[in-house]
Amino acid sequence: MGSLGRRNGRSGASGTWRNWAGNVSVRPAREVRPASVEELADAVRSAAADGLRVKTVGTGHSFTSITATDGLLIRPDLLTGIRRIDRAAMTVTVESGTPLRRLNAALAREGLSLTNMGDITEQTVAGAISTGTHGTGRDSASIAAQVRELELVTADGRVTTCSAQESPEVFAAARIGLGALGVVSAVTFAVEPLFLLTAREEPMGFDRVTAEFEQLHAENEHFEFYWFPHTGNCNTKRNNRSHGPVDPPGAVSGWFEDEFLSNGVFQVANSFGRALSAAVPAIARISSRALSARTYTDIPYKVFTSPRRVRFVEMEYAVPREAAVAALRELKAMVDRSPLRVSFPVEVRTAPADDITLSTASGRDTAYLAVHMYRGTPYRAYFTAAERIMTAHGGRPHWGKMHTRDAAYLAEAYPRFGEFTALRDRLDPDRLFANPYLRRVLGD
């Protein structure tokens, strides 16, 4: 299948770029929109010759400055579409700038699907894998763990491919490469025949969820829950494969839950809470009781993903799964005894151990605890207190979400950290792809 929507690449002076949350903005010296891997390689070589650092930006869903640069900003919005589907190998090769939502829809039309995915689909495929985007799963891991081959433009402008068989040491690191090893130009994912998932969403008390967490994890292919601070209430979601039939949420009830309550009313409630913080606990109690139990069955991306229109900032830490309940209980105790007013729920998900060098689940079964604050609301006190708890449990911060960790901490948190930095020294000795964020988390 050909790539969709290509035009000739464009380059020139740039305006200000801002991320989705609005907390990061940069004004690069110039931008380029390559329409082919050849144009991408030319752009990298030209930037190196002109002494410009190079970063690629997707849809801006990272909350960190991982893509920020004052040099050349590459926008991959012309590098989109499926290159090929290999039904014998059960893989799909897709251009790096393709949004996940377009990939999911295209695969479904072909009777195929990724095995697991995160809960939003706006990111580009390269941005999603490079920052370690994940969903929740007992046996199936992050989006990057489903990658079978990468095509990469390195600092010398060469186009190279890597896989478990070809340059395996590059493949182990580049699947979650943080934009530090090169520019991803194409991604080959493992796929499987399209299947159905039955979702069971159900309110549940905090004490019950935490007491039964291991059982709920073991009994379900995909389990996650949200705890509403200032309450003892949670909302749980269990996704398991189903023989059908397809039974999606009704048009009215689905709109009411996913748009009216989860986006519309939630937006109003957060805006009110930002203006009057004393009302936040009462709003939380109402919000936590608004969503009712429901069960529905559909194809994977319609079950895994949800619209997210309320803007926020986020910090997420990966802790060993056996530490999840203790960390969450400590977080609740901290919020309960503090003057903090937290209007966003805390999200808890899981992932099995994987073999990716800087994956947050590298080498250990993992639970993710994500804290959020409504955009424009003071967040530092909450995030600082939460981070203190997570790091005490050996937490690893999500690469695309807010945190204060540096290379010294991360070298202890990741047994293979030195393997990654040595590869970086080899592939990008002059730090063409460096920026302040990478200097902090990887060192120089």
Side-chain angles (χ1 to χ4, degrees), residues 3-10 33-36 39 75-81 95 97:
S3 191
L4 306 176
R6 284 190 175 171
R7 303 185 297 276
N8 290 330
R10 299 190 301 270
R33 285 183 159 88
S36 68
E39 289 182 5
R75 293 181 178 262
D77 50 310
L78 302 183
L79 290 170
T80 61
E95 304 280 358

Side-chain angles (χ1 to χ4, degrees), residues 144-215:
Q146 299 169 67
V147 173
R148 294 297 174 263
E149 184 177 275
L150 285 179
E151 182 182 84
L152 197 69
V153 177
T154 50
D156 56 6
R158 288 188 303 115
V159 180
T160 185
T161 59
C162 59
S163 66
Q165 293 74 40
E166 182 180 3
S167 301
E169 76 288 353
V170 177
F171 183 65
R175 281 177 286 170
I176 299 181
L178 316 185
L181 304 177
V183 180
V184 175
S185 51
V187 184
T188 299
F189 290 102
V191 293
E192 59 178 299
L194 192 65
F195 55 94
L196 295 177
L197 287 172
T198 293
R200 178 182 171 190
E201 298 176 4
E202 180 183 8
M204 194 177 291
F206 180 91
D207 290 341
R208 180 184 168 192
V209 173
T210 52
E212 299 179 7
F213 175 70
E214 280 298 325
Q215 179 182 347

Side-chain angles (χ1 to χ4, degrees), residues 196-198 241-247 297-298:
L196 295 177
L197 287 172
T198 293
R241 297 201 182 207
S242 168
H243 295 297
V246 172
D247 183 21
T297 301
D298 215 325

Side-chain angles (χ1 to χ4, degrees), residues 8-14 28-35 39-40 42-44 46-47 54-57 71-79:
N8 290 330
R10 299 190 301 270
S11 64
S14 170
R30 68 178 186 239
E31 290 185 6
V32 64
R33 285 183 159 88
E39 289 182 5
L40 175 60
D42 284 344
V44 170
S46 295
V54 177
K55 299 308 295 179
T56 304
V57 64
L72 174 67
L73 188 71
I74 296 172
R75 293 181 178 262
D77 50 310
L78 302 183
L79 290 170

